[in-house]
Each structure stands twice: as structure tokens, then as C-alpha cells.
Amino acid sequence: MPTIELRTKIRAPKERVFDLARSVDLHKISTQQTNEEAIDGITSGLLGLDEWVTWRAKHFGVYQKLTSKITAFDRPNYFTDEMMQGAFKSFTHEHHFYESQNSTEMVDVFEYKAPYGFLGKLADKLFLQKYMTVLLEKRNMSIRDYAESQKWKKIILNER
């Protein structure tokens, strides 16, 4: 099973980074390049344990739907979301948050199985893993941008 692990250092409190990472609204902002929108479940605000969202997004020129659910949750240390339905055969995305010297280290562990057997494995080697890595990196840069500026207030304070 392919795994992508990313470490992002963010100069902001762990609680703020944690909440931004589970924000449906910031996710929409960070994935504008794929026209991602929340169409069912929790479509705005902060996701919590056992809550789910269905996303509609354009990847590789095709609109796709993906439903993920928060299956583990310990604020502000970690949460996990898992695909319930979607284009992958499966995925699990762990989000870990560690305090270190006036900053937070956000660690993503994204494990997935591509669909379509051998063809999916070939697609993974040719482009899928790189595509998903870039998508996650862009999302993390948005989280950092919002957490390290005053923009976080538009996302978090409006949601509470």
C-alpha cells in the first residue's frame, strides 16, 4: 500500500493548526484548483468524530465524488479520516500534531490503494503518488498560510 508522509512546520499554536486541518471551509479554499466542493454531510465548519463529508472535485479532467469520515479524534493531537466511497480502492489519512519551540509540526500519513488492480498500480507509479503528494503539500501550505497570519480568524472564529 503506497504511503505519503509529509512534515510541515507551522509557527502557530497546535490547537489552531488542528482546527484549520479539520475545517471544511479551509479545505475548499486549499483545493480551488480542482473545483472541490462539499456537497453532502458536513458541508461547512469543523469536522468531528464520526462526522463525514462528500466532496465533488475535478481530477484528471473528470468530476469525481469522494466521501470521507473522521474515524479517530483526539483534539489537538491527532485525527484520522478514511474514505467511505470514492475513486480509490481505499485510503486512510492520519493527521498528527506536535508542539516544538513556539511552533507546531503537522505530520500527514496518507495510505491508499489505487483502484483497477495492475492498471491502478501502474498509474500510481507513473503519476498518482506524485499528484497526491502535490495536492497534500498545497493543502498544507494553505493551512500554514492561514495559521501564521490573521486569516485563521475568518475560518475558526466564524465556525464557532
Side-chain angles (χ1 to χ4, degrees), residues 114-132:
Y116 310 121
F118 172 76
L119 291 177
K121 288 179 183 177
L122 181 61
D124 185 53
K125 289 191 186 309
L126 293 175
F127 61 86
L128 184 58
Q129 187 166 13
K130 177 67 174 167
Y131 180 83
M132 291 306 302

Side-chain angles (χ1 to χ4, degrees), residues 5-71:
E5 184 172 319
L6 299 176
R7 295 178 176 274
T8 307
K9 190 169 186 166
I10 301 173
R11 291 183 314 273
K14 183 165 75 165
E15 292 80 3
R16 180 186 307 163
V17 177
F18 181 91
D19 286 346
L20 288 170
R22 65 190 180 107
S23 168
V24 172
D25 300 301
L26 185 56
H27 186 89
K28 290 181 216 176
I29 292 167
S30 72
T31 56
Q32 289 176 347
Q33 73 276 10
T34 61
N35 297 319
E36 200 148 335
E37 60 181 318
I39 61 170
D40 200 6
I42 304 298
T43 59
S44 184
L46 302 178
L47 289 164
L49 183 62
D50 293 328
E51 294 182 328
W52 58 274
V53 58
T54 297
W55 298 99
R56 181 176 181 268
K58 192 172 191 176
H59 297 282
F60 309 112
V62 177
Y63 277 99
Q64 302 174 27
K65 290 182 184 177
L66 182 139
T67 300
S68 65
K69 179 179 180 180
I70 304 294
T71 58

Side-chain angles (χ1 to χ4, degrees), residues 83-102:
M83 186 189 84
M84 307 311 287
Q85 291 181 319
F88 290 94
K89 189 170 184 180
S90 67
F91 82 61
T92 301
H93 187 180
E94 296 177 9
H95 309 256
H96 300 270
F97 304 86
Y98 304 99
E99 286 180 321
S100 65
Q101 300 176 353
N102 299 323

Side-chain angles (χ1 to χ4, degrees), residues 16 145-155 157:
R16 180 186 307 163
D145 177 46
Y146 274 72
E148 291 181 349
S149 70
Q150 295 300 308
K151 293 190 227 177
W152 70 271
K153 292 178 182 179
K154 290 192 304 187
I155 301 295
L157 296 181

